[in-house]
Amino acid sequence: MTQDSSHYFDWAATSPADPDILRSALERTLENYGNPSSIHAAGQKAKKLLEEARTSCAKSLGVEPGQLIFTSGGTESDHIPLLSVLTKPAKGKILVSAIEHPALREECAMLGRLGYTVEQIQPDKNGFIQPEALAEKITPDTLFVTVMAVNNETGCIQDIDAIADAITRASAGKRKPHFHVDCVQAAGKIPLEISKPGIDSAAFSAHKICGPRGTGLLYLAKPLQSFLVGGGQEQNIRSGTENVFGALAFADCLNRYYIRKSDTSDESRLHFESQKKWTNAFISELAAIKGCSLVPSCRTEEAFADRFSPYVLQAAFKNIPGNVMVRALDAKGFAISTGSACSAKKQSRPILQAMGLSRDIQDTAVRFSFGPLTTQQGIQDLLAAVQDVCKTFA
């Protein structure tokens, strides 16, 4: 890794690539260049590599290989199950949390313009979706429910298991709506299990955990009818020539960085525990800066210590606009952001707005995000830089 990567704190937008993993995947792809759908020897060699990658991903995630679909990234992995509602005989209701990534929030809005009933599930003041409050909104015509596992701006860890149970109970005796989970900010960061009954699909993205951009995974508990069709690849769910390079690289990234709840002593789990200590120390120091507010404020409370990802942290600095803080730190060699890179050019902060935060907080909030290669020294350097910027604007 380059020296600058130790001062990179925008992992929630994208991660530095793992050079060893990408080189290995490229070398294997160069040697096996055939189209996996071709029946000749070159194609079948590529097909064998693709299926080996799928099996490796399945082992990491704790699911069956046949439940995994390779895609072009997290957005497509979100869209495939969502757009499957277009194959249903009648339009119905879609429930989407108000704190979703734009990949889902905006696509749900598009379906609303097509005549579907789209209802947002509001979080509480701390950014959490309450399972029973969601369940109360389920009606017989509800087709789809989506809640992300870890929020990309605040780091809130949603209780996906409890939400899945609440949806199942609310649907007793009638058709259960499809429950989708965006795991893009959770995979490789927090201990995770997706094979929980009641979770119908989940989205993953390689470039958030040191893999290549343009590669994703979709977990499907059982097959669905895709709205987009074509050549029939990936079980006729995601047509298009398969990206063998991306699949191989993603498999190795998951093998190296993914943390299952059942894992207790692997390297990724050890880094997770270290990151919790470093982030908690960072939070304590930030809270001591005059004019700094943690977002949400409960982030400093012991009762919420395990309800946030240690890899995503939001804070607001009074009288310092978020984009000014970003530029000031960038000038010192530190990369942070004001929120989702997908919405960087927009002035609105819909996630913070949904949490009922003031306009001042929305305008001055910035995001610090970390990853498997983050170091304690790097975070200490970041803290010193933030303190210096705050003194300048005091």
Side-chain angles (χ1 to χ4, degrees):
M1 306 304 296
T2 65
Q3 184 177 2
D4 288 342
S5 68
S6 67
H7 289 169
Y8 180 76
F9 299 102
D10 198 18
W11 283 74
T14 196
S15 66
D18 188 312
D20 294 335
I21 286 177
L22 265 62
R23 288 191 190 102
S24 174
L26 178 60
E27 289 172 1
R28 285 177 286 170
T29 306
L30 290 173
E31 294 172 0
N32 299 274
Y33 47 81
N35 186 321
S37 296
S38 299
I39 62 174
H40 49 60
Q44 291 308 295
K45 286 181 180 179
K47 178 72 171 179
K48 183 173 183 292
L49 276 185
L50 181 69
E51 294 311 316
E52 287 175 355
R54 195 188 315 275
T55 298
S56 176
C57 290
K59 181 179 179 182
S60 295
L61 298 177
V63 301
E64 295 299 319
Q67 294 177 309
L68 295 180
I69 306 298
F70 286 112
T71 71
S72 66
T75 294
E76 187 180 26
S77 295
D78 284 331
H79 285 181
I80 290 173
L82 174 59
L83 293 181
S84 70
V85 302
L86 294 170
T87 68
K88 304 299 181 183
K91 294 177 180 178
K93 184 161 72 172
I94 296 169
L95 296 178
V96 54
S97 86
I99 53 173
E100 289 302 294
H101 186 275
L104 280 161
R105 189 177 64 245
E106 297 300 326
E107 192 67 9
C108 286
M110 176 62 74
L111 289 172
R113 291 192 286 273
L114 294 178
Y116 289 80
T117 301
V118 177
E119 190 170 349
Q120 289 194 344
I121 311 156
Q122 298 299 321
D124 62 21
K125 65 178 182 178
N126 295 318
F128 297 101
I129 299 297
Q130 298 301 322
E132 295 308 321
L134 182 155
E136 290 175 358
K137 293 181 177 294
I138 293 177
T139 53
D141 66 338
T142 303
L143 301 173
F144 193 88
V145 181
T146 182
V147 179
M148 67 196 318
V150 172
N151 186 263
N152 57 300
E153 293 194 19
T154 65
C156 292
I157 300 175
Q158 303 299 334
D159 193 342
I160 297 301
D161 289 356
I163 291 172
D165 288 341
I167 293 172
T168 299
R169 288 195 302 271
S171 307
K174 50 185 179 291
R175 176 183 48 77
K176 186 183 85 67
H178 185 107
F179 178 40
H180 176 73
V181 182
D182 184 327
C183 293
V184 168
Q185 295 295 345
K189 305 292 180 64
I190 68 168
L192 189 65
E193 295 285 351
I194 60 168
S195 57
K196 159 81 177 178
I199 296 177
D200 299 299
S201 60
F204 302 88
S205 181
H207 78 99
K208 304 296 188 180
I209 51 171
C210 304
R213 293 160 189 159
T215 297
L217 263 179
L218 170 62
Y219 161 74
L220 290 174
K222 59 183 180 181
L224 53 70
Q225 184 177 352
S226 177
F227 176 72
L228 299 175
V229 295
Q233 295 91 339
E234 294 298 297
Q235 304 177 49
N236 205 34
I237 291 172
R238 198 277 177 179
S239 293
T241 302
E242 301 92 337
N243 179 359
V244 178
F245 163 76
L248 290 170
F250 203 173
D252 288 346
C253 287
L254 288 173
N255 182 55
R256 180 169 296 184
Y257 299 112
Y258 192 80
I259 316 169
R260 292 183 61 190
K261 288 183 179 179
S262 56
D263 295 335
T264 57
S265 61
D266 69 321
E267 186 176 342
S268 295
R269 166 72 75 158
L270 294 176
H271 188 277
F272 170 73
E273 296 298 334
S274 295
Q275 186 65 55
K276 283 202 296 186
K277 296 177 183 177
W278 303 340
T279 300
N280 287 339
F282 185 52
I283 287 172
S284 296
E285 294 289 348
L286 285 180
I289 297 176
K290 184 178 180 180
C292 177
S293 302
L294 277 298
V295 181
S297 59
C298 72
R299 196 72 194 255
T300 59
E301 299 175 19
E302 182 65 27
F304 288 88
D306 293 326
R307 300 196 65 184
F308 291 89
S309 167
Y311 291 94
V312 180
L313 173 65
Q314 185 113 190
F317 299 87
K318 188 175 182 179
N319 298 328
I320 307 178
N323 57 358
V324 172
M325 176 63 82
V326 169
R327 287 197 292 267
L329 287 177
D330 188 44
K332 294 177 178 294
F334 296 84
I336 68 165
S337 69
T338 54
S340 171
C342 301
S343 301
K345 295 181 180 180
K346 299 178 181 179
Q347 298 300 314
S348 63
R349 300 294 300 273
I351 291 172
L352 304 187
Q353 185 177 357
M355 293 166 60
L357 296 171
S358 70
R359 187 70 241 184
D360 286 343
I361 292 292
Q362 294 179 46
D363 290 342
T364 58
V366 294
R367 179 182 69 185
F368 306 99
S369 54
F370 317 108
L373 305 181
T374 299
T375 65
Q376 183 178 21
Q377 183 60 54
I379 295 177
Q380 291 173 343
D381 293 343
L382 172 64
L383 174 64
V386 171
Q387 291 171 330
D388 189 50
V389 172
C390 291
K391 289 177 182 177
T392 301
F393 285 87

